[in-house]
């Protein structure tokens, strides 16, 4: 594996690409949101040093072929992130994940990003299964997964605490056969 793998996935309105140092200010502006922190490992408050660590970490993971977590670029700004993590080459599986800044939610950006991630995972990386883990009270994320054909395959009881309450995570999965046989391919 080359030490500078570059991935660029182009959709109708967005581009998924590796983060660059100059994305730090966009990341701080967009990720400094308690809603994002509630459902992801992103800390709140999200500070410039967190942005630097996130940029360096995602670049290293891509170069080591362990994860492909990419910036979502819209009108030359990073508005969120999406990609694959926990890539298991032996089992040919990975976890899909995404988050969108609050000013860009409910506009189809997460769905478009997930479409690009699924196409990359199944068509380019030759994965057999992509799964998603979502907190049971994150209805918008559950809706996106279900809309794209993911099926509920399990639950992780009391997996995290949100606002003082113990909540379950749901595990959703989609196989390459389901994806390739569906009419919901790329950016439909």
């Amino acid at each position: 594996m080359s030490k500078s793998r570059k991935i660029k996935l182009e959709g109708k309105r967005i581009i998924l690409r590796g983060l660059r140092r100059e994305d730090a200010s966009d990341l701080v502006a967009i990720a400094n949101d308690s809603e994002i922190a509630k459902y992801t490992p992103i800390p709140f408050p999200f500070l410039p040093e967190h942005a630097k660590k996130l940029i360096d970490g995602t670049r290293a993971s891509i170069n080591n072929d362990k994860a492909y977590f990419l910036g979502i670029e819209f009108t030359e700004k990073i508005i969120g992130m999406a990609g694959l993590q926990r890539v298991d080459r032996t089992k040919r599986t990975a976890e899909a994940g995404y988050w969108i800044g609050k000013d860009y939610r409910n506009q189809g950006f997460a769905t478009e990003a997930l479409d690009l991630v699924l196409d990359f995972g199944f068509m380019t990386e030759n994965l057999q299964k992509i799964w998603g883990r979502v907190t049971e009270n994150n209805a918008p994320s559950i809706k996106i997964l279900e809309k794209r054909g993911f099926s509920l395959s399990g639950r992780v009881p009391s997996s995290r605490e949100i606002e003082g309450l113990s909540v379950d995570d749901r595990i959703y999965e989609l196989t390459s056969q389901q994806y390739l046989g569906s009419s919901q391919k790329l950016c439909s």
Side-chain angles (χ1 to χ4, degrees), residues 120-131:
F120 174 75
F122 289 129
M123 304 301 291
T124 303
E125 296 300 304
N126 198 29
L127 297 174
Q128 289 297 309
K129 184 186 335 179
I130 296 176
W131 55 279

Side-chain angles (χ1 to χ4, degrees), residues 49-171:
E49 55 266 26
H50 297 126
K52 180 185 181 312
K53 186 176 179 181
L54 181 61
I55 291 166
D56 291 345
T58 57
R59 288 168 64 173
S61 292
I62 289 169
N63 289 336
N64 292 326
D65 210 27
K66 293 183 179 183
Y68 308 98
F69 223 66
L70 307 167
I72 301 170
E73 182 183 298
F74 174 68
T75 63
E76 299 181 13
K77 281 179 62 173
I78 296 297
I79 63 166
M81 293 190 70
L84 297 171
Q85 54 199 6
R86 295 180 181 84
V87 176
D88 184 326
R89 294 283 172 204
T90 304
K91 294 180 181 176
R92 295 173 52 201
T93 64
E95 178 184 6
Y98 45 85
W99 59 264
I100 301 287
K102 67 181 172 186
D103 293 340
Y104 300 93
R105 293 180 193 143
N106 301 310
Q107 297 175 50
F109 291 114
T111 302
E112 185 176 345
L114 181 60
D115 286 341
L116 292 169
V117 166
L118 293 174
D119 201 55
F120 174 75
F122 289 129
M123 304 301 291
T124 303
E125 296 300 304
N126 198 29
L127 297 174
Q128 289 297 309
K129 184 186 335 179
I130 296 176
W131 55 279
R133 181 173 175 159
V134 61
T135 305
E136 68 182 349
N137 62 347
N138 188 347
S141 191
I142 291 169
K143 183 179 176 183
I144 291 167
L145 291 172
E146 290 177 344
K147 184 172 152 182
R148 286 302 177 247
F150 282 73
S151 300
L152 181 65
S153 64
R155 294 180 185 271
V156 181
S158 302
S159 64
R160 64 181 95 192
E161 190 172 302
I162 298 178
E163 298 172 344
L165 299 172
S166 180
V167 295
D168 295 352
D169 277 355
R170 295 181 182 181
I171 308 297

